[in-house]
Amino acid sequence: MTIKLECSEYGFECDYVLEGAKSVSTLEKLREHFEEEHGIEYSSEFVIQMVVNKGHSRDSILNE
């Protein structure tokens, strides 16, 4: 299963779009983007929760 994550959906004025497998490793890339481009250090768990809050199931992320 794939997922498309747009940085702008998480409150940033940013055109970054990430597409990949719905997995923790894909969400880790989003976390790294937040840190490198926006200077905000989020934990991996926090980023997972952000994505879950957008309507994705935690199980679908953790079980891929």
Side-chain angles (χ1 to χ4, degrees):
M1 193 176 269
T2 62
I3 190 168
K4 180 178 180 180
L5 304 167
E6 299 180 32
C7 190
S8 62
E9 292 181 336
Y10 298 95
F12 299 97
E13 291 185 22
C14 179
D15 294 332
Y16 180 77
V17 176
L18 174 64
E19 294 185 64
K22 189 184 281 191
S23 66
V24 173
S25 62
T26 299
L27 271 58
E28 182 64 19
K29 292 176 186 174
L30 181 64
R31 188 202 63 75
E32 290 170 359
H33 168 78
F34 290 152
E35 185 175 336
E36 293 169 5
E37 295 300 320
H38 302 294
I40 299 174
E41 294 183 31
Y42 291 130
S43 68
S44 295
E45 181 58 36
F46 186 81
V47 173
I48 291 169
Q49 188 59 49
M50 289 172 71
V51 173
V52 167
N53 289 346
K54 290 289 184 183
H56 298 279
S57 142
R58 177 177 292 277
D59 288 340
S60 70
I61 296 166
L62 299 177
N63 294 325
E64 284 294 312

